[in-house]
Amino acid sequence: MSPLHLHLLFPLSLLLILTTHIQATGSASVHNPKLPPPPLSSSKKFEGSSDLVNLRYHMGPVLSSSPINIYIIWYGKWALPQKILIKDFLSSISTAAPSPSVSEWWRTVSLYTDQTAANVSRSVVVAGEYSNLRYSLGTQLTRLSIQQVIASAVNSGSLPVDHRNGIYLILTSGDVIVQDFCRAVCGFHYFTFPSMVGYTLPYAWVGNSGEQCPEVCAYPFAVPGYIGRGGTVALSPPNGDVGVDGMISVIGHELAEMSSNPLVNAWYAGEDPTAPTEIGDLCEGLYGSGGGGGYIGAVMKDREGRSYNLNGGNGRRFLVQWLWSPVLKACAGPNALD
């Protein structure tokens, strides 16, 4: 699931190193900006190895069939450059790029296995798209009506029913209001009910917060007004679109959790499967080494001042949160400094 932005345990020694030394990396520099977290926050993040996290396997499936087929439903009005940007991120999961890369970031997800020792697939493709331009269920959606959006797409034949390899990604445009959006979630994943869709299919929803709450769901590319008045400046998004650049980290968060816990009975911490703490939740808001105490972690900044931590295909750059590693028992990402 997707709690908002959380606090981190922070190693002071690494902070001193990072704040007194900027390391050049080609045309980019490394920086660790301090951005106080937004008001809605809690404490679940662990940068260093921790025995406090009881992430357990509950015997359910992971997405091990290859490739993982993503079927995108564009709900509302989307500009072509926005669609291309999101699809470039998704295709980067299985595309080689200079390190640190999106495909290296996905390797953490691929460490998760099912009871047969089958790993989450490292091959991810966009297998189909459907544009719901007419807002067929209106501009205000509930969690259940999102399933109706999926039902409309598959029952009309616009998208196939892919039981074995398919996951469905519903992306709502900035003018669509979704239940709990901005207040409690920036995105979520679950599975469809046969009574509503006719099938049990893993899906995720993510909304474009650019118009509604960028300071919550596109953070750190926007900060709450009261923070900005204190002199803190939001980071510049790597692709120039606050809403969509912010969505990409949420999309990565939900895809990682859906792949390791598609039916909410595989990998999660806690005893309540209706509110599990998953591999993205544990690292929400952490993007590099030395994160915590208001610091997002060490990330790169290009010559134009745009911040990123991953390279993707087509020359793209992205800022995507870290994920919990079952091997390191800590949050991990390919841009780690140690």
Side-chain angles (χ1 to χ4, degrees):
M1 303 300 145
S2 298
L4 299 175
H5 305 281
L6 318 169
H7 299 289
L8 290 167
L9 303 176
F10 187 75
L12 180 60
S13 59
L14 185 53
L15 167 60
L16 294 174
I17 295 172
L18 289 168
T19 53
T20 56
H21 176 70
I22 296 180
Q23 173 184 350
T25 308
S27 61
S29 61
V30 173
H31 69 142
N32 188 6
K34 185 172 185 178
L35 295 174
L40 297 176
S41 63
S42 59
S43 181
K44 287 184 184 176
K45 286 186 278 186
F46 301 87
E47 184 201 351
S49 179
S50 176
D51 294 328
L52 299 176
V53 177
N54 186 24
L55 185 74
R56 295 190 296 111
Y57 176 56
H58 295 79
M59 304 306 290
V62 301
L63 297 182
S64 58
S65 296
S66 190
I68 298 171
N69 291 328
I70 298 179
Y71 299 96
I72 305 175
I73 299 176
W74 305 97
Y75 191 90
K77 296 178 181 178
W78 288 89
L80 182 59
Q82 294 177 320
K83 290 184 174 182
I84 292 174
L85 175 54
I86 289 172
K87 288 191 290 184
D88 278 349
F89 169 70
L90 296 174
S91 64
S92 295
I93 293 174
S94 301
T95 300
S99 185
S101 68
V102 176
S103 60
E104 291 172 332
W105 169 84
W106 189 259
R107 287 179 189 171
T108 297
V109 186
S110 70
L111 294 173
Y112 288 88
T113 62
D114 63 15
Q115 57 187 306
T116 70
N119 294 77
V120 170
S121 174
R122 290 178 61 176
S123 177
V124 178
V125 299
V126 176
E129 302 175 61
Y130 169 65
S131 294
N132 192 321
L133 296 172
R134 297 187 177 183
Y135 305 85
S136 62
L137 276 83
T139 58
Q140 297 189 36
L141 302 177
T142 66
R143 289 180 180 244
L144 287 179
S145 62
I146 285 176
Q147 293 202 25
Q148 293 177 311
V149 172
I150 301 171
S152 175
V154 298
N155 293 335
S156 67
S158 300
L159 292 177
V161 175
D162 189 345
H163 291 287
R164 180 174 173 80
N165 293 44
I167 58 176
Y168 296 78
L169 180 61
I170 301 87
L171 304 175
T172 50
S173 55
D175 55 344
V176 177
I177 298 172
V178 176
Q179 178 184 357
D180 293 330
F181 187 32
C182 298
R183 184 185 66 82
V185 297
C186 301
F188 64 81
H189 78 91
Y190 207 60
F191 53 87
T192 60
F193 304 145
S195 60
M196 295 197 68
V197 181
Y199 311 92
T200 299
L201 303 169
Y203 75 93
W205 159 79
V206 179
N208 186 340
S209 68
E211 298 178 19
Q212 297 183 47
C213 59
E215 71 283 358
V216 177
C217 293
Y219 186 91
F221 303 130
V223 296
Y226 74 89
I227 293 178
R229 289 193 294 272
T232 298
V233 178
L235 301 189
S236 180
N239 300 286
D241 188 320
V242 168
V244 177
D245 273 307
M247 283 184 76
I248 284 171
S249 187
V250 182
I251 290 171
H253 174 123
E254 298 302 336
L255 288 181
E257 294 183 342
M258 184 162 45
S259 297
S260 57
N261 195 28
L263 300 181
V264 200
N265 61 358
W267 289 94
Y268 64 88
E271 299 305 321
D272 184 2
T274 65
T277 298
E278 300 172 287
I279 69 171
D281 300 330
L282 291 165
C283 307
E284 181 80 26
L286 176 61
Y287 301 89
S289 300
Y295 293 83
I296 70 167
V299 299
M300 281 82 79
K301 183 166 63 174
D302 66 17
R303 290 174 177 173
E304 285 72 41
R306 297 171 296 196
S307 294
Y308 67 99
N309 64 351
L310 299 177
N311 294 300
N314 295 328
R316 294 284 195 184
R317 290 169 171 172
F318 305 102
L319 187 68
V320 182
Q321 69 155 90
W322 280 12
L323 301 170
W324 186 262
S325 166
V327 175
L328 300 177
K329 298 190 184 303
C331 296
N335 60 310
L337 296 180
D338 49 4

